[in-house]
Amino acid sequence: MKLPNLTLLQAYLKTATSAATSGGKILKKYWKNVKQIEDKSTAGDLVTEADKESEKIILQMITEAYPDHAILAEESSEKHLSSSSDFLWVIDPLDGTVNYAHQNPMVAISIALLYQNKVVVGVVFNPFYQELFQAIKGMGATLNGEKITVSQTRALDKSLLATGFAYDRRTTTDTNYPEFCHLTNLTHGVRRFGAASLDLAFVAAGRFDGYWERGLKPWDMAAGALLVQEAGGKISAYNETPFDLQSGKILATNGMLHHALSQELLNLSM
């Protein structure tokens, strides 16, 4: 796949960054003042007026800049999909809505741009901690403009991991609770933030050594997956086959722990 030229990619990143920071202003506006909290299709899968208004301003900015591009956004009833476009924006206007509804600031806006089904631009922004993670494919990853790299941890028993629990955990038998318990005992610990984009960004920044989760959507993973790769890490399916954005599953590590963590996950599934 031949990438768009760097000037174009930088322009796309600028648009994504502007849209994310504008969405962040919406999240701060509604902070501690959310009046509408609703369940979506699954209990515990929440949406608020902040999600909807954040998405509205993000979509407006992206469609005005690139009207021919396709868009896949979490809260939109119309997905703005176009089979004729090589470009697809994948947007989560508020990752960590449950946290947000409970006034926990571990939330983010996640915006990714795919070109011919490959992520080429990614932005993850936490407006409360003012942390802006950015990446362009082939150009590395940054946090607030400074280059970031994954950790150098080489052994699982020295690692700090992260995971999350799917919204359907109350009704499905396919949960990662056994994995969570097993890996908690095997490592320095496992954290659960409730915002997949931040989990991936933290792997990219070396704050976590690895992360795994299932039951995810493309907007949960797209931007963060690029951050990990561009920071020198590795992403894949649990069994180390190529990562599929539509699969709902991801394994992300600093690379050095990847095979060991994959083996632990596969052994538990047998």
Side-chain angles (χ1 to χ4, degrees):
M1 178 188 73
K2 184 178 180 180
L3 294 176
N5 66 55
L6 181 57
T7 300
L8 277 176
L9 290 173
Q10 289 172 331
Y12 299 144
L13 180 66
K14 183 177 180 180
T15 299
T17 300
S18 296
T21 53
S22 295
K25 292 176 182 177
I26 301 298
L27 301 191
K28 294 181 83 171
K29 181 181 80 170
Y30 281 102
W31 184 245
K32 298 184 180 180
N33 193 35
V34 175
K35 294 182 173 61
Q36 299 175 20
I37 302 174
E38 305 168 7
D39 282 307
K40 292 194 283 189
S41 58
T42 304
D45 186 5
L46 304 182
V47 63
T48 72
E49 64 263 47
D51 298 70
K52 296 175 182 178
E53 191 171 330
S54 173
E55 182 166 295
K56 182 178 179 180
I57 188 66
I58 292 169
L59 291 182
Q60 179 182 333
M61 294 177 71
I62 290 175
T63 54
E64 284 180 357
Y66 304 106
D68 297 331
H69 288 190
I71 292 176
L72 177 64
E74 181 177 11
E75 308 304 340
S76 296
S77 55
E78 181 183 355
K79 298 302 183 184
H80 305 275
L81 293 175
S82 168
S83 59
S84 62
S85 179
D86 282 335
F87 294 93
L88 173 66
W89 293 88
V90 180
I91 299 162
D92 191 339
L94 173 48
D95 186 18
T97 302
V98 174
N99 287 345
Y100 186 85
H102 289 273
Q103 298 178 20
N104 179 334
M106 291 305 297
V107 303
I109 294 163
S110 177
I111 301 176
L113 176 63
L114 278 65
Y115 175 70
Q116 295 182 353
N117 296 316
K118 300 295 183 182
V119 186
V120 294
V121 166
V123 170
V124 174
F125 178 52
N126 183 326
F128 299 102
Y129 289 105
Q130 285 296 301
E131 290 196 325
L132 176 65
F133 298 86
Q134 299 168 294
I136 291 175
K137 187 171 180 62
M139 299 300 295
T142 62
L143 167 56
N144 293 342
E146 299 293 327
K147 184 178 179 180
I148 54 176
T149 59
V150 294
S151 73
Q152 296 300 303
T153 305
R154 297 177 178 275
L156 273 179
D157 64 355
K158 305 296 184 184
S159 70
L160 180 65
L161 306 180
T163 192
F165 305 126
Y167 289 120
D168 66 354
R169 61 188 180 274
R170 304 175 188 180
T171 56
T172 182
T173 57
D174 181 24
T175 72
N176 58 348
Y177 294 150
E179 299 159 8
F180 177 87
C181 294
H182 175 72
L183 288 164
T184 295
N185 291 332
L186 196 63
T187 65
H188 279 175
V190 179
R191 302 292 179 256
R192 195 263 179 166
F193 279 176
S197 63
L198 284 178
D199 290 327
L200 288 162
F202 278 29
V203 172
R207 297 172 180 176
F208 293 142
D209 303 304
Y211 162 73
W212 84 99
E213 191 171 350
R214 54 184 173 274
L216 297 169
K217 299 295 185 182
W219 47 77
D220 297 315
M221 301 182 284
L226 181 65
L227 288 170
V228 172
Q229 291 176 304
E230 289 301 315
K234 183 175 180 179
I235 61 168
S236 73
Y238 284 11
N239 64 359
E240 300 186 76
T241 57
F243 171 64
D244 178 0
L245 194 58
Q246 302 296 328
S247 70
K249 295 183 177 183
I250 189 168
L251 171 62
T253 73
N254 62 7
M256 291 171 280
L257 294 176
H258 209 83
H259 181 68
L261 185 50
S262 170
Q263 289 301 114
E264 293 296 332
L265 294 173
L266 293 178
N267 289 340
L268 284 167
S269 67
M270 291 179 178

